[in-house]
Amino acid sequence: MFKADRGWRIGTTEAGYSTLSPRLRSVSMRRRCKDRRKEPTFRGKRCAAMTDPELRAQSFEIAWRYLDQSGLLTGEHKDSARFILNRIDRMMLRGERRRLLLSNAAIDAYRLRPVLVSA
């Protein structure tokens, strides 16, 4: 019985580890992940299967936690959440899929937003 008959991929051992060099392995991973619109994880040896709502929620959670713990959240929480999500959504519409970049951009936009002062 050949390895191909058992469902193994060429270039892997019986335990499933890759026999390719690290450089070739990362090149082959990039090729496999290139067509997907998801964030590739080369350390995990597979592409991250993250949907847009999950990415949006995780980016929002990172930004919200940071702003809350640093004491930068001011005003109504509903308005702040809407502002952060709007920024994340606009970047996702432009094709950005990196979670930390989305959250950091939302944090920076929130810090620099014009605040209306009511007298």
Side-chain angles (χ1 to χ4, degrees):
M1 182 183 271
F2 295 103
K3 284 186 179 182
D5 295 336
R6 293 188 201 146
W8 291 330
R9 283 186 255 147
I10 297 173
T12 59
T13 63
E14 288 185 25
Y17 298 109
S18 178
T19 57
L20 297 172
S21 69
R23 183 173 178 198
L24 289 176
R25 186 173 33 229
S26 69
V27 169
S28 66
M29 286 301 299
R30 268 187 247 134
R31 283 190 192 127
R32 270 187 262 156
C33 298
K34 186 177 180 183
D35 294 334
R36 297 181 187 181
R37 290 175 33 187
K38 278 107 179 135
E39 187 176 35
T41 57
F42 300 112
R43 299 276 184 234
K45 310 287 187 287
R46 65 184 113 116
C47 294
M50 188 180 305
T51 62
D52 285 347
E54 288 173 344
L55 178 63
R56 182 179 189 246
Q58 289 177 2
S59 299
F60 174 77
E61 185 65 30
I62 291 168
W64 187 265
R65 248 193 231 149
Y66 174 80
L67 292 168
D68 190 32
Q69 290 176 358
S70 63
L72 293 172
L73 280 175
T74 56
E76 288 289 322
H77 287 293
K78 187 176 181 180
D79 294 334
S80 300
R82 189 179 302 126
F83 182 88
I84 293 168
L85 283 172
N86 186 22
R87 179 65 178 184
I88 290 171
D89 289 342
R90 284 190 295 162
M91 290 187 68
M92 287 179 71
L93 285 174
R94 284 187 282 164
E96 186 57 57
R97 295 293 179 263
R98 292 174 286 183
R99 181 178 54 232
L100 287 177
L101 193 123
L102 290 168
S103 57
N104 286 338
I107 290 167
D108 288 340
Y110 187 82
R111 279 184 185 164
L112 300 173
R113 79 190 189 292
V115 179
L116 298 175
V117 179
S118 59

